């Protein structure tokens, strides 16, 4: 049974052999995922669309250099992150701190919150609170920590793939994810404590 990585490599090899239309398969497959990654760095939707387009243009131009040492999506993520950073630098802006939570984030974190399945008004309210708290904690993270935790928890990349995408050692990736989780956990811990519980 072939893996996603193997399937992508076959498509890349078709493109390298001159099948220009095959590249559309990769664009269609990863367009949304790359866009979702960028929403953690950039808030302006038009900028995101421009970066996604620029990312795939750069990938197409450089595809002759792709050897399959890493997964294609790890390679494309790295191009996207670097393209976003370059755009923000030229605009004199820092990556977004996500001051306002977006709806996709709320859904993602609310779906994964470790809460009771009983849909009482109180539990639904708590779920919403936790989702908002996680988004606020994510917003407060430095860009490196936020990118690492998003790639791990939301996009499901391995530590090795994140290390390649972020161009840093695996130990650094583990440290960033650990610190991000600690920061998020500290933010939501008060919401998970039973009501009326006191510390003595």
């Amino acid at each position: 049974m072939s893996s996603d990585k193997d399937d992508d490599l076959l498509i890349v090899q078709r493109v390298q052999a001159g099948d220009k239309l095959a590249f559309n398969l990769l664009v269609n497959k990863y367009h949304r995922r790359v866009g979702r990654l960028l929403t953690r760095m950039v808030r302006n939707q038009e900028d995101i669309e421009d970066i996604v387009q620029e990312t795939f243009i750069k990938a197409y131009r450089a595809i002759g250099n792709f050897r399959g040492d890493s997964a294609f999506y790890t390679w494309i993520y790295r191009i996207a992150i670097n393209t976003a950073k370059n755009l923000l630098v030229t605009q004199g802006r820092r990556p977004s701190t996500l001051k306002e939570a977006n709806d996709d984030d709320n859904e993602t974190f609310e779906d994964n919150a470790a809460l009771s399945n009983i849909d009482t008004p109180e539990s639904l309210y708590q779920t919403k609170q936790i989702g908002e708290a996680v988004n606020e904690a994510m917003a407060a993270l430095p860009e490196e920590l936020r990118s690492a935790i998003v790639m791990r928890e939301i996009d499901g990349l391995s530590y090795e793939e994140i290390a390649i995408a972020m161009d840093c050692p695996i130990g650094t990736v583990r440290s960033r994810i650990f610190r991000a989780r600690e920061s998020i956990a500290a933010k939501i811990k008060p919401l998970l404590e039973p009501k009326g519980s006191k510390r003595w």
Side-chain angles (χ1 to χ4, degrees):
M1 193 171 138
S2 66
S3 68
D4 239 18
K5 183 177 176 180
D6 294 335
D7 292 342
D8 289 350
L9 185 55
L10 289 174
I11 297 171
V12 168
Q13 288 168 346
R14 282 172 54 190
V15 179
Q16 290 172 336
D19 183 355
K20 295 180 180 180
L21 293 177
F23 191 73
N24 290 336
L25 298 171
L26 296 169
V27 174
N28 292 336
K29 185 173 182 180
Y30 292 114
H31 186 275
R32 284 189 66 189
R33 285 175 71 180
V34 171
R36 208 166 56 231
L37 171 75
L38 293 170
T39 61
R40 273 77 189 181
M41 298 175 68
V42 181
R43 295 313 293 169
N44 184 305
Q45 191 57 41
E46 286 182 10
D47 284 346
I48 290 170
E49 288 166 12
D50 288 345
I51 295 167
V52 170
Q53 187 174 6
E54 183 68 19
T55 295
F56 282 103
I57 290 170
K58 286 180 178 178
Y60 182 76
R61 287 175 179 160
I63 205 156
N65 301 322
F66 183 79
R67 294 286 172 261
D69 298 328
S70 64
F72 177 80
Y73 63 81
T74 306
W75 186 67
I76 199 88
Y77 274 23
R78 185 170 174 182
I79 294 172
I81 289 169
N82 289 335
T83 303
K85 284 180 180 176
N86 291 341
L87 176 77
L88 294 169
V89 167
T90 58
Q91 292 180 344
R93 288 190 288 150
R94 292 177 59 81
S96 167
T97 53
L98 301 183
K99 288 296 181 197
E100 68 281 5
N102 84 29
D103 294 337
D104 288 343
D105 289 341
N106 278 330
E107 287 172 18
T108 302
F109 291 116
E110 287 176 9
D111 289 346
N112 291 324
L115 298 172
S116 165
N117 288 328
I118 303 167
D119 290 338
T120 63
E122 187 178 46
S123 71
L124 289 172
Y125 177 69
Q126 189 185 30
T127 300
K128 187 173 189 300
Q129 274 191 312
I130 289 173
E132 289 171 355
V134 170
N135 285 322
E136 285 175 17
M138 288 278 287
L141 292 173
E143 178 204 333
E144 290 80 9
L145 303 192
R146 189 167 62 247
S147 293
I149 195 76
V150 165
M151 284 190 268
R152 178 66 179 164
E153 301 296 346
I154 296 176
D155 294 320
L157 271 64
S158 68
Y159 288 106
E160 291 79 6
E161 289 164 337
I162 298 168
I164 293 166
M166 299 191 80
D167 195 20
C168 65
I170 290 177
T172 303
V173 170
R174 290 185 187 280
S175 171
R176 287 174 180 174
I177 290 171
F178 176 78
R179 285 159 53 205
R181 284 176 177 157
E182 268 199 327
S183 179
I184 293 168
K187 187 83 174 175
I188 66 171
K189 190 176 178 185
L191 299 174
L192 297 175
E193 290 175 350
K195 280 194 172 176
S197 66
K198 292 183 179 177
R199 288 185 183 167
W200 299 96

